[in-house]
Amino acid sequence: MSTGLFDGVVGQPLAVAILSSVLRKGVGHAYMFVGPRGVGKTEAALAFAAALLCPERGCGCCEACRRARAGVHPDLVTIVPDGNFIHIGAIREINVDAAKRPYQAAVRVYLILDADAMNAAAANAFLKTLEEPPGHVRFILVTNNPERLPQTIVSRCQRVPFSRIPVESLAAHLRDLFGLSEDDCRALARVSQGDLRYAREFVESKSMQDARVRVLSQACALPGADFARETAMVDEMMDVLEERQAQAVAVVEASRERELEWAGDARTRAWVEKTLNQRSKREKRAAMLAGVDEVIRGFAGWYRDLAVVAAGAEEVVHNVDYLDDLRLNAMPGLLNAYLAVVSVAERTRERFRYNVDARCALEDMVFSMKEALL
Ligand SMILES: [Zn+2]
């Protein structure tokens, strides 16, 4: 195994130690990557899949490694929620597929993202395969919410725990990666709250930086906004979400030709098409959720910081670059109202786990927050 395989996994020494040990000592058949979102679970899962599929057990540089890490190895099957759930149909497909021999590698790897989205029927069907898997099958389950999965599934997987990345490690990583100033790194590490994916994307994406400015100014304007302004805010949010979705789909489409060129026969072409269609769907939904997350993060962060300033604890403000505005706007008498707004944000985040209409949920959020501030 190459030592560089898990280099992209930052601030997760325990997870990397477990995976390295597993690769050295021989491999079980099911793993569960558990921890908060944005801390590198999927990236680590793809690196681990590469190690399982690579003839050199993860050299990090061969075609098998490259394809596995890009999620397009023919012996890597990725399962994601269709809408908000992983349905029994997807699990039945795995069960049929798992009986076949691998195409190229010695094993076939099933990567199940958001595994807790399995509904009860799907979980039951999955358990059957998990109990007696064919010898060439490996499962990697990734989840932020293992408690939502039946204990019978959890107990059959080797647990690989991921944790929030400490602000210090995250700041150091951002400094190494992007050469940002000490202040910028610390501010970003705090705002992202240990979410590496968010922090990285934020540095690289002008549109995310713009979105943050826009969302924070909306959050700041909310107390004085009338109904028309509130509705306009939601329109702006929806425009940004739709734009992000279109960008995400465009990225997948741009890779279609290249991937199809590589596919020789009709069967492989069909497989590539199917994989890309799934990915397109997945990326579209992920872009929507990421966009919603930005909005919620912005509003929750602003009112959390107002509460912090109102309570006289400026040193723990997240949006440190907005400290002057926060001082100007924070009113000690509104401390409870600020906290109520943060609760509305949390509730809205939770609602997005289920099949909610984005516009409805965001409208509801804005109106409820306004009510809390009156
Ligand atoms: Zn390799």
Side-chain angles (χ1 to χ4, degrees):
M1 187 194 71
S2 142
T3 48
L5 198 59
F6 296 113
D7 278 359
V9 183
V10 179
Q12 305 293 345
L14 179 57
V16 171
I18 291 174
L19 293 174
S20 306
S21 146
V22 159
L23 289 170
R24 270 196 315 273
K25 292 182 186 155
V27 171
H29 71 270
Y31 299 85
M32 185 174 286
F33 288 34
V34 174
R37 75 211 152 101
V39 297
K41 295 189 301 299
T42 303
E43 197 166 3
L46 288 170
F48 185 55
L52 299 177
L53 294 167
C54 165
E56 309 285 330
R57 299 195 24 210
C59 67
C61 48
C62 70
E63 186 64 8
C65 280
R66 192 189 71 73
R67 294 213 149 263
R69 297 181 82 168
V72 290
H73 191 291
D75 287 314
L76 172 62
V77 179
T78 306
I79 295 96
V80 294
D82 178 11
N84 289 286
F85 295 103
I86 295 174
H87 298 281
I88 189 165
I91 300 299
R92 285 204 183 113
E93 268 181 47
I94 298 184
N95 292 354
V96 171
D97 189 271
K100 293 186 218 151
R101 297 295 310 162
Y103 295 132
Q104 291 178 358
V107 296
R108 218 158 148 67
V109 178
Y110 297 87
L111 172 60
I112 308 182
L113 299 176
D114 294 321
D116 55 278
M118 275 188 232
N119 61 21
N124 272 327
F126 180 63
L127 187 59
K128 295 208 175 72
T129 305
L130 191 59
E131 279 171 334
E132 284 176 60
H136 61 267
V137 165
R138 304 285 180 269
F139 290 111
I140 307 174
L141 283 67
V142 174
T143 174
N144 311 339
N145 298 294
E147 67 285 353
R148 289 192 168 118
L149 278 164
Q151 191 53 34
T152 42
I153 288 182
V154 176
S155 66
R156 280 177 174 80
C157 299
Q158 161 73 55
R159 201 179 175 96
V160 184
F162 288 71
S163 45
R164 274 203 193 291
I165 304 168
V167 169
E168 292 304 328
S169 321
L170 186 52
H173 175 71
L174 294 170
R175 200 164 45 235
D176 294 348
L177 201 60
F178 299 108
L180 301 177
S181 76
E182 193 76 25
D183 280 354
D184 284 351
C185 289
R186 290 197 56 83
L188 183 52
R190 277 206 206 174
V191 169
S192 54
Q193 293 175 62
D195 186 335
L196 173 65
R197 191 189 310 157
Y198 174 86
R200 270 195 204 148
E201 285 175 6
F202 187 85
V203 177
E204 286 171 344
S205 157
K206 177 83 172 61
S207 70
M208 272 175 80
Q209 295 165 20
D210 293 346
R212 172 171 177 253
V213 172
R214 194 168 43 238
V215 172
L216 288 177
S217 87
Q218 288 175 338
C220 180
L222 184 62
D226 59 10
F227 181 74
R229 178 74 192 100
E230 288 167 22
T231 310
M233 275 184 196
V234 177
D235 287 340
E236 285 168 32
M237 292 171 189
M238 290 306 297
D239 286 347
V240 174
L241 289 187
E242 277 156 24
E243 192 189 309
R244 288 191 62 141
Q245 288 189 309
Q247 281 169 359
V249 170
V251 169
V252 177
E253 287 312 313
S255 73
R256 189 175 289 268
E257 215 164 302
R258 180 163 48 86
E259 296 300 346
L260 281 173
E261 214 168 276
W262 159 81
D265 55 15
R267 181 179 167 219
T268 318
R269 285 181 69 86
W271 172 80
V272 170
E273 287 278 11
K274 187 178 165 208
T275 306
L276 288 176
N277 291 343
Q278 280 173 345
R279 189 191 301 174
S280 177
K281 231 166 125 181
R282 178 169 91 222
E283 296 293 330
K284 197 172 166 191
R285 180 174 151 77
M288 193 271 284
L289 289 176
V292 166
D293 180 65
E294 271 166 35
V295 170
I296 295 175
R297 187 191 289 270
F299 272 83
W302 177 260
Y303 284 95
R304 178 248 177 226
D305 280 352
L306 282 180
V308 159
V309 173
E314 283 184 4
E315 65 282 4
V316 292
V317 157
H318 284 162
N319 294 288
V320 277
D321 46 343
Y322 278 80
L323 190 53
D324 291 340
D325 297 301
L326 289 164
R327 282 180 185 144
L328 212 63
N329 285 279
M331 294 168 45
L334 287 181
L335 180 57
N336 280 332
Y338 297 151
L339 296 175
V341 171
V342 175
S343 305
V344 172
E346 302 299 338
R347 222 162 46 227
T348 307
R349 196 193 291 284
E350 188 56 27
R351 278 185 70 186
F352 269 92
R353 279 194 50 79
Y354 305 98
N355 249 330
V356 292
D357 176 67
R359 171 176 284 278
C360 279
L362 290 175
E363 261 171 10
D364 199 32
M365 180 186 86
V366 168
F367 298 153
S368 304
M369 285 177 170
K370 182 60 184 291
E371 217 172 86
L373 289 165
L374 290 177

